[in-house]
Amino acid sequence: MKALVVSATPEPQSFIASMADLSVRVLEEQGYQVAHSNLYEMGWNPVASANDFGDRKDPDYLTYALEQRHGVEGGTIAPDISAELQKLMDADLLVLNFPIYWFSVPAILKGWLDRVIVSGLCYGGRRFYDQGGLSGKRALVAATLGGRPHMFGPESIHGPIETMLRPLLQGTLAYTGMNVIEPFFGWHVPYIQPEERAQILDDYAVCLKSLDERQLLEFPSMADFSRDLHPLKPNLTETA
Amino acid sequence: MKALVVSATPEPQSFIASMADLSVRVLEEQGYQVAHSNLYEMGWNPVASANDFGDRKDPDYLTYALEQRHGVEGGTIAPDISAELQKLMDADLLVLNFPIYWFSVPAILKGWLDRVIVSGLCYGGRRFYDQGGLSGKRALVAATLGGRPHMFGPESIHGPIETMLRPLLQGTLAYTGMNVIEPFFGWHVPYIQPEERAQILDDYAVCLKSLDERQLLEFPSMADFSRDLHPLKPNLTETA
């Protein structure tokens, strides 16, 4: 089994760096062959642009998704994207480690998603959700935030955290077909004591060792929608 | 009245570029003094890092939000951030024009949010939602996407689009105190005919001319939560 850990933190000594190191170490102990894309250390370029394509299907007008298909088919997509895409396609498990910025991923990681999860290979046409190009892979989001659990939930000020992270959990990972494991959160990290941080790392190691027992999030199935994506059975899909 | 238009598209001839031009022109016609941050044209750097701070409160360990406060207070934050922050603080209205990438903003725009909406000035302590540092400003998200309206909604495959955009609408714009105007969407843009695109631009011009009549989205009020953000009146807050 192969895993890809993608991590993003501007501080190499940060808690997220420790979590990413732990991801690599524990998964290796579990028998995975692990690749680690440490985006800040790599100097990853997050900006999707015309420079991503060595040869253009339409040199006069950039439609990013169409050029992704053309670039992957012809082997002319930028080498930094190509290298990451290979790691992603090889992986049985994708782990994302990041501090939550604005209830979302830091820009450098957003740019990894924008550039690496290419149209055609990873999704397209009717190939999404359980028909997506990355079907069969599993994904784990393991992130830190300043907030505390009582600030998230149906009656709480920010609403459910899975709702805040829906563009990532549903709109990206599940959309491309991945099985999304219940995320792991390190709560209130900037404000807690070293022993509490050590406890979070212990809990995270347990999480990594027991991925098979961890719940998968539920998402739409293409079988419940018509060819043009009208719902076939209203009221059976999740409402929010 | 002053407005700031922030736009992000890798193709200068794209529909989003036309929408951004229209934002500037119509708002000027309405009497606004308009600044336009065209992020791709500016070569905006979206990566939050230690390089953003000319002087460090803690040179040995980067806590990004704390250094934002220190950098703003001491006037030592990076000049590119400082220039954008000035435009943001001056603006009565913020308009974001972008193509939706992964049910979210493109990385270059995420990095504008990450770096420019600084801790301290824009939010912090209990200064968020209706107590946020950007209270009194209005924000309009006007974006394009490949999807069609029937793919979004309570029973639809992707769920409500406002839920997918919640990290931006609630978690960023409302969180910092801005009044969030009902967003404008250009649907199915890559797949439609020129006359349909022209219609969307006409509709968008009407939207820009009638911002005062457009609905504001509803978000939590700090008055409904205790000092440590426990809900005071359960069941009154939105549940998803």
Side-chain angles (χ1 to χ4, degrees):
Chain A
M1 300 280 276
K2 290 185 178 180
L4 170 58
V5 176
V6 181
S7 66
T9 169
E11 169 53 64
Q13 308 167 83
S14 74
F15 191 76
I16 279 293
S18 300
M19 281 182 72
D21 289 346
L22 197 63
S23 300
V24 174
R25 187 162 59 73
V26 175
L27 291 173
E28 283 179 347
E29 286 167 9
Q30 302 296 303
Y32 281 91
Q33 185 180 327
V34 184
H36 179 194
S37 295
N38 180 332
L39 299 182
Y40 272 87
E41 191 179 84
M42 291 159 72
W44 176 256
N45 164 29
V47 180
S49 79
N51 300 328
D52 293 346
F53 310 109
D55 179 64
R56 288 277 288 275
K57 187 179 173 84
D58 182 349
D60 299 323
Y61 188 94
L62 177 70
T63 304
Y64 195 76
L66 295 186
E67 296 296 343
Q68 284 181 318
R69 286 175 183 245
H70 179 73
V72 169
E73 281 163 14
T76 55
I77 204 161
D80 62 340
I81 297 174
S82 176
E84 293 302 300
L85 183 56
Q86 192 60 56
K87 293 183 205 170
L88 175 63
M89 297 312 290
D90 285 348
D92 302 290
L93 170 69
L94 172 67
V95 176
L96 303 179
N97 291 139
F98 60 90
I100 291 181
Y101 283 6
W102 294 115
F103 298 94
S104 175
V105 296
I108 198 169
L109 178 51
K110 182 56 169 58
W112 188 90
L113 304 172
D114 288 351
R115 298 177 69 223
V116 177
I117 306 186
V118 293
S119 179
L121 207 54
C122 303
Y123 69 97
R126 273 179 59 84
R127 292 171 53 254
F128 45 95
Y129 290 116
D130 47 357
Q131 303 296 320
L134 304 182
S135 294
K137 300 183 190 298
R138 293 192 296 174
L140 174 70
V141 167
T144 59
L145 64 169
R148 284 180 287 166
H150 75 268
M151 299 175 193
F152 293 88
E155 308 297 337
S156 301
I157 191 158
H158 305 312
I161 193 163
E162 290 80 7
T163 305
M164 276 290 190
L165 291 179
R166 179 179 286 211
L168 176 64
L169 298 173
Q170 173 171 341
T172 309
L173 303 174
Y175 182 93
T176 53
M178 290 192 248
N179 291 309
V180 183
I181 298 168
E182 186 196 350
F184 179 94
F185 297 109
W187 296 98
H188 211 38
V189 163
Y191 310 106
I192 60 179
Q193 299 303 312
E195 56 269 29
E196 294 171 284
R197 294 188 183 205
Q199 182 63 55
I200 294 175
L201 291 176
D202 286 351
D203 293 346
Y204 183 47
V206 171
C207 162
L208 290 165
K209 286 174 191 166
S210 54
L211 292 178
D212 291 349
E213 287 106 75
R214 221 169 154 88
Q215 213 165 2
L216 296 180
L217 302 187
E218 289 193 26
F219 295 105
S221 166
M222 293 294 278
D224 294 331
F225 294 87
S226 68
R227 271 205 72 78
D228 60 355
L229 300 178
H230 284 279
L232 293 174
K233 303 169 197 161
N235 298 316
L236 287 185
T237 52
E238 201 190 355
T239 59
Chain B
M1 300 280 276
K2 291 185 177 178
L4 171 58
V5 176
V6 181
S7 67
T9 169
E11 169 52 65
Q13 308 167 81
S14 74
F15 190 75
I16 278 294
S18 301
M19 282 183 72
D21 290 346
L22 198 63
S23 300
V24 173
R25 187 162 58 73
V26 175
L27 292 173
E28 284 179 347
E29 287 167 9
Q30 302 298 304
Y32 281 90
Q33 187 180 326
V34 184
H36 180 194
S37 296
N38 180 332
L39 298 182
Y40 272 87
E41 192 180 83
M42 291 159 69
W44 176 255
N45 163 29
V47 181
S49 79
N51 300 328
D52 293 347
F53 310 109
D55 179 63
R56 288 276 289 275
K57 187 179 173 82
D58 182 348
D60 299 323
Y61 188 94
L62 178 70
T63 306
Y64 196 75
L66 295 186
E67 296 297 343
Q68 284 181 317
R69 286 174 183 247
H70 179 73
V72 170
E73 280 163 15
T76 54
I77 204 161
D80 62 340
I81 297 174
S82 176
E84 292 303 299
L85 184 56
Q86 190 61 55
K87 294 183 205 169
L88 175 63
M89 297 312 289
D90 284 349
D92 301 291
L93 171 67
L94 173 68
V95 177
L96 302 179
N97 290 140
F98 59 91
I100 291 180
Y101 283 6
W102 294 115
F103 298 94
S104 174
V105 296
I108 198 170
L109 178 51
K110 183 56 168 59
W112 188 90
L113 303 172
D114 288 351
R115 297 177 70 224
V116 176
I117 306 187
V118 293
S119 178
L121 207 53
C122 303
Y123 69 96
R126 273 178 59 82
R127 291 171 52 253
F128 46 93
Y129 289 117
D130 48 356
Q131 303 296 320
L134 304 182
S135 294
K137 300 182 190 300
R138 293 192 295 173
L140 175 69
V141 166
T144 59
L145 63 170
R148 284 181 287 167
H150 74 268
M151 298 173 192
F152 292 87
E155 308 297 338
S156 301
I157 191 159
H158 305 312
I161 192 162
E162 291 79 6
T163 306
M164 276 290 190
L165 291 178
R166 181 179 285 212
L168 176 62
L169 298 172
Q170 173 171 342
T172 310
L173 302 175
Y175 183 93
T176 53
M178 289 191 249
N179 291 309
V180 182
I181 298 168
E182 187 196 349
F184 179 93
F185 297 109
W187 297 98
H188 211 40
V189 163
Y191 310 105
I192 60 178
Q193 298 304 311
E195 55 270 29
E196 295 171 284
R197 295 189 182 203
Q199 183 62 56
I200 294 176
L201 290 176
D202 287 350
D203 293 345
Y204 183 48
V206 170
C207 163
L208 289 166
K209 286 173 189 165
S210 55
L211 292 179
D212 292 348
E213 288 105 76
R214 222 169 152 84
Q215 213 166 1
L216 297 180
L217 302 186
E218 289 193 25
F219 294 105
S221 167
M222 292 295 277
D224 295 331
F225 294 86
S226 68
R227 272 205 72 79
D228 63 353
L229 299 178
H230 285 279
L232 294 174
K233 304 169 196 162
N235 298 315
L236 288 185
T237 52
E238 202 190 352
T239 59

